Amino acid sequence: MTKNWWKLLAVVFIIYTIIAGLLFKVPHLAILHESIRNLYFHVPMWFTMTMLFLSSVIYSIKYLKSGNEQDDLRAVEFANVGLIFGILGLFTGSLWAKFTWGTWWTTDPKLNSALIAILIYLAYLVLRGSLDEEQKRARIGAVYNIFAFPVMIVLVFVLPRMTDSLHPGNGGNPGFGNYDLDSNMRLVFYPACMGWILLGFWIAQIRFRMRKMENYFLSK
Amino acid sequence: MKKYILSLVLILVSIASFAQNNGTVEMADEMRGSGKIYVVIGVMTIIFIGIAFYLFSIDKKLTKLEKDHNQLSK
């Protein structure tokens, strides 16, 4: 258990988020009402996705340096799990939008670019799936991943901020900063992000260990 | 003069309505007050604890499998 303390920490943080996230005081804001509590669940999905994709690209760079197959497998699994969290982020955001903006999806810069970022990573998996030769797949995948990561960052975190967007934290929208000032919300929001990020890494680790064994048996 | 009075009244009315909007944002205070929110928290916590235990057991099984595999491949 000494090596797995962070997994327990993930569980504790998320349980704390569920309890404190629903009970603690939140600012009374028009339109948002109680749905402001979604901040504790929707936003950590995207932060987790970003951290997983960051780890993925780090292992891709490592792979290009070392040529070690394990690094490539780690990169893929981090991308796989990151994608799951990104899709969860899209769906939770869509539901939230339905009840605050009145529609499941609008052609908002933040929404569209988030979707494109997800598609770029889906393409990464498709690209890998279409190449049979292992070393070639690993190398081309790693190079693609190194290009995909900065594009994802620009799409999700930079471009929407340069135009007007409905989404809080972008364009002329004060959104995020406003509730971020609320220290009660910070008390839940930061542990929520930590908890979900750790959980994402845990799932990625399990997937990597499975893939490693699978590869061993396939090579026999 | 009538115009001014009318616009003044309208401005006051609009300010009053603004104040009302800010004062009464609908929140689930009643649900909190009657204690029913705790049921939701209970349900969510149970579900998540269940999933967490399941994840831990998968992790454990995988560790065991890795040990067996390491012994075999030696």
Side-chain angles (χ1 to χ4, degrees):
Chain A
M1 209 56 210
T2 45
K3 246 169 74 187
N4 291 333
W5 59 272
W6 57 278
K7 296 171 183 173
L8 195 66
L9 194 68
V11 173
V12 169
F13 272 156
I14 295 173
I15 290 173
Y16 164 76
T17 312
I18 291 171
I19 297 168
L22 266 74
L23 281 186
F24 280 19
K25 274 209 173 107
V26 291
H28 288 215
L29 297 180
I31 301 170
L32 278 173
H33 304 234
E34 289 283 358
S35 84
I36 193 172
R37 293 175 196 275
N38 276 349
L39 182 84
Y40 305 139
F41 300 95
H42 165 74
V43 184
M45 295 298 116
W46 293 104
F47 283 12
T48 308
M49 181 198 80
T50 311
M51 292 314 287
L52 286 166
F53 283 167
L54 177 68
S55 314
S56 173
V57 81
I58 287 171
Y59 275 104
S60 278
I61 293 167
K62 255 188 164 170
Y63 172 77
L64 288 180
K65 267 176 136 177
S66 68
N68 182 358
E69 194 202 3
Q70 308 286 311
D71 291 335
D72 180 54
L73 291 184
R74 277 213 170 82
V76 188
E77 292 306 348
F78 275 128
N80 267 330
V81 181
L83 208 53
I84 296 284
F85 277 93
I87 290 166
L88 286 176
L90 277 183
F91 278 118
T92 52
S94 182
L95 182 67
W96 199 2
K98 175 68 189 163
F99 290 96
T100 47
W101 306 338
T103 172
W104 296 104
W105 192 269
T106 71
T107 51
D108 188 81
K110 183 82 166 184
L111 275 61
N112 282 342
S113 49
L115 182 65
I116 296 167
I118 296 285
L119 291 176
I120 286 173
Y121 272 90
L122 271 176
Y124 167 66
L125 297 179
V126 172
L127 175 75
R128 294 189 60 101
S130 64
L131 294 167
D132 279 333
E133 203 204 314
E134 269 168 42
Q135 285 195 331
K136 203 177 179 185
R137 174 175 60 206
R139 221 165 344 108
I140 294 175
V143 172
Y144 181 93
N145 199 4
I146 290 167
F147 280 104
F149 184 72
V151 173
M152 185 276 288
I153 292 292
V154 169
L155 278 172
V156 177
F157 297 104
V158 181
L159 282 182
R161 275 173 208 195
M162 299 173 74
T163 58
D164 275 332
S165 168
L166 279 168
H167 195 285
N170 297 291
N173 239 318
F176 213 11
N178 260 1
Y179 3 107
D180 242 11
L181 285 176
D182 194 282
S183 52
N184 265 332
M185 289 199 82
R186 276 189 196 174
L187 228 50
V188 184
F189 180 64
Y190 293 146
C193 289
M194 278 312 295
W196 286 105
I197 288 170
L198 289 174
L199 192 87
F201 274 77
W202 184 7
I203 297 170
Q205 192 215 40
I206 286 177
R207 287 204 53 132
F208 164 68
R209 284 157 63 192
M210 272 165 58
R211 181 67 86 94
K212 201 170 136 190
M213 249 198 287
E214 195 185 349
N215 261 29
Y216 173 80
F217 288 119
L218 285 176
S219 66
K220 279 280 143 179
Chain B
M1 195 60 196
K2 250 185 184 171
K3 252 192 215 164
Y4 286 122
I5 289 171
L6 186 66
S7 48
L8 190 70
V9 166
L10 284 175
I11 285 169
L12 283 176
V13 165
S14 70
I15 286 171
S17 66
F18 247 106
Q20 243 170 16
N21 274 342
N22 286 338
T24 58
V25 171
E26 238 182 278
M27 300 299 261
D29 291 333
E30 233 169 78
M31 197 171 171
R32 245 159 274 281
S34 68
K36 294 272 163 60
I37 193 77
Y38 300 107
V39 183
V40 183
I41 294 167
V43 168
M44 286 171 77
T45 312
I46 288 168
I47 291 174
F48 186 72
I49 287 176
I51 290 173
F53 267 107
Y54 191 49
L55 260 175
F56 271 119
S57 84
I58 291 172
D59 200 308
K60 231 174 147 183
K61 265 185 196 161
L62 194 57
T63 308
K64 198 176 157 280
L65 215 61
E66 278 169 341
K67 266 185 195 155
D68 292 348
H69 165 240
N70 279 342
Q71 273 179 345
L72 273 179
S73 60
K74 259 172 200 166

